[in-house]
């Protein structure tokens, strides 16, 4: 990818105004682009189901520290089966059941999760021009919480498999998927990204991790390049998801280090699906020569939070 292929920082900065959806669905709207998932859009998605085949697009949550997850999720058993001998009589003061505790920092580079519109800020504002202080340490996300998606994200999904289209194993770290990659996938695979879609873009980064093992964040990552943002706006996608953290690393811009998140969330109101597992669904798409399917994502109904771990399901 040459420097001529990517927009300048000045151009990316102009996207905050050029591609803004502030006020589009009302001054108090907290949902953003998923407003484009209308009942008609849901019916379209349901109509794509032909086989009833379901495929998870989540990574398994690991409780072990790795170089890309130095603070891993925590899990321990509150109660287990170890204290119950076979056939032991249960008294009314004890209950033979196992219970768990888990906690996690789900934002990062390993847990499959969605970002709500409270997750990122620009110039002291979050989506719809609301002040950043509405997300506080004492109260959490009092605006743009993940609760806004309590009915779930059910829509048409399209998969852009960039490595397949380009004939490579994966996009290199520090490189980005470009608009031309998306357009080439549309041409080759016979779909078109439409309003209200969940756009999934496979970079091959998870495949590389599976082959080579994890690597530290500072080693870099692929994602969509900022040049894709105009297409996201023009096509009216409701959500973007990739198999990475969704921004090219190392950052390509000094003042906009995370343009996909910063412009996508704060200006456009697009929800973001980070760290999806697109390996199995990519195989399924290739086997069927079919790159559109119904997607169902049910974020946890967490009070005043900036996102949620999720298990996205593709249904063919």
């Amino acid at each position: 990818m040459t420097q001529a292929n990517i927009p300048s920082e000045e151009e990316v900065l102009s996207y905050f105004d050029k591609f803004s959806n502030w006020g589009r669905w009302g001054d108090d709207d907290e949902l953003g682009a998923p407003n484009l998932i209308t009942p008609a859009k849901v019916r379209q998605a349901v109509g794509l189901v032909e086989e009833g085949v379901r495929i998870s697009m989540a990574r398994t949550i690991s409780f072990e520290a790795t170089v890309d997850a130095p603070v891993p999720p925590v899990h321990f058993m509150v109660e287990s089966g170890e204290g119950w001998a076979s056939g032991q009589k249960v008294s009314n003061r004890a209950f033979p059941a196992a219970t768990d505790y888990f906690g996690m920092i789900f934002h990062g580079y390993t847990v499959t999760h969605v970002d709500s519109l409270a997750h990122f800020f620009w110039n002291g504002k979050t989506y719809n021009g609301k002040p950043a202080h509405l997300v506080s340490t004492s109260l959490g996300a009092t605006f743009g919480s993940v609760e806004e998606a309590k009915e779930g994200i059910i829509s048409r999904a399209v998969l852009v498999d960039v490595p397949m289209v380009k004939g490579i194993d994966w996009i290199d770290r520090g490189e980005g998927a470009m608009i031309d990659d998306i357009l080439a996938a549309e041409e080759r695979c016979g779909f078109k990204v439409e309003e209200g879609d969940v756009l999934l873009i496979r970079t091959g980064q998870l495949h590389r991790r599976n082959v080579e093992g994890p690597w530290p964040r500072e080693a870099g990552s692929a994602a969509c390049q900022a040049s894709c943002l105009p297409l996201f706006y023009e096509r009216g996608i409701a959500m973007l998801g990739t198999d990475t953290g969704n921004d090219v690393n190392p950052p390509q811009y000094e003042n906009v280090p995370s343009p996909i998140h910063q412009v996508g969330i704060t200006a456009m109101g697009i929800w973001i699906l980070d760290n999806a597992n697109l390996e199995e669904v990519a195989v399924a798409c290739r086997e069927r020569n079919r790159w559109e399917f119904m997607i169902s994502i049910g974020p946890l109904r967490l009070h005043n939070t900036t996102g949620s771990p999720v298990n996205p399901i593709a249904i063919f």
Side-chain angles (χ1 to χ4, degrees):
M1 182 172 62
T2 65
Q3 197 69 25
N5 295 125
I6 69 174
S8 67
E9 182 169 279
E10 183 179 7
E11 185 174 355
V12 173
L13 288 170
S14 76
Y15 293 168
F16 285 98
D17 293 324
K18 189 181 296 185
F19 304 133
S20 174
N21 279 322
W22 290 8
R24 179 174 176 179
W25 297 286
D27 292 339
D28 295 323
D29 176 61
E30 302 181 48
L31 183 60
N35 279 293
L36 297 169
I37 304 176
T38 63
K41 189 69 184 182
V42 175
R43 290 195 300 271
Q44 178 197 22
V46 172
L48 294 172
V49 177
E50 298 175 351
E51 306 167 58
V53 173
R54 298 157 294 166
I55 298 173
S56 169
M57 292 181 286
R59 304 187 189 189
T60 298
I61 294 175
S62 171
F63 301 101
E64 301 295 326
T66 58
V67 293
D68 52 356
V71 184
V74 175
H75 173 252
F76 62 82
M77 301 303 298
V78 179
E79 298 287 351
S80 72
E82 294 166 313
W84 296 94
S86 178
Q88 180 175 343
K89 184 178 179 180
V90 179
S91 73
N92 60 5
R93 294 187 178 182
F95 194 75
T99 57
D100 307 57
Y101 168 88
F102 68 88
M104 67 181 71
I105 302 171
F106 56 83
H107 292 299
Y109 299 90
T110 57
V111 175
T112 304
H113 67 274
V114 295
D115 295 337
S116 78
L117 301 186
H119 183 43
F120 262 80
F121 315 105
W122 178 252
N123 280 347
K125 301 286 181 64
T126 187
Y127 168 71
N128 229 359
K130 302 302 181 183
H133 69 246
L134 292 180
V135 183
S136 67
T137 54
S138 59
L139 298 176
T142 62
F143 176 86
S145 170
V146 74
E147 294 166 278
E148 294 298 314
K150 58 184 177 293
E151 281 83 21
I153 304 293
I154 299 172
S155 191
R156 171 184 182 251
V158 292
L159 177 66
V160 172
D161 190 341
V162 178
M164 185 200 73
V165 171
K166 297 175 75 73
I168 58 178
D169 290 327
W170 46 68
I171 300 176
D172 285 336
R173 299 167 193 160
E175 298 288 322
M178 308 293 286
I179 284 182
D180 285 348
D181 296 323
I182 300 172
L183 298 179
E186 288 184 325
E187 178 68 23
R188 174 171 173 175
C189 301
F191 64 80
K192 184 173 182 178
V193 179
E194 300 173 352
E195 187 171 272
D197 282 348
V198 175
L199 175 58
L200 302 173
I201 298 185
R202 178 176 177 266
T203 71
Q205 291 294 284
L206 180 57
H207 173 54
R208 184 172 188 175
R209 187 182 191 273
N210 292 339
V211 171
E212 298 182 348
W215 60 86
R217 177 184 178 184
E218 54 268 23
S221 178
C224 288
Q225 211 281 327
S227 62
C228 294
L229 287 163
L231 184 142
F232 299 162
Y233 180 77
E234 291 161 8
R235 299 294 184 88
I237 65 170
M239 177 179 282
L240 170 70
T242 73
D243 50 1
T244 75
N246 272 298
D247 268 297
V248 176
N249 273 299
Q252 297 179 314
Y253 303 102
E254 181 179 357
N255 296 306
V256 197
S258 301
I260 298 298
H261 281 81
Q262 290 172 284
V263 177
I265 288 176
T266 62
M268 299 184 196
I270 293 172
W271 288 52
I272 291 182
L273 171 66
D274 286 320
N275 310 318
N277 176 1
L278 301 179
E279 296 306 294
E280 288 82 3
V281 75
V283 172
C285 287
R286 291 178 208 139
E287 290 174 346
R288 293 164 173 79
N289 194 29
R290 177 185 170 195
W291 308 90
E292 59 175 351
F293 45 87
M294 175 181 167
I295 189 170
S296 177
I297 307 174
L300 298 177
R301 197 166 176 174
L302 299 169
H303 183 59
N304 286 8
T305 63
T306 62
S308 170
V310 293
N311 180 15
I313 305 295
I315 309 172
F316 288 89

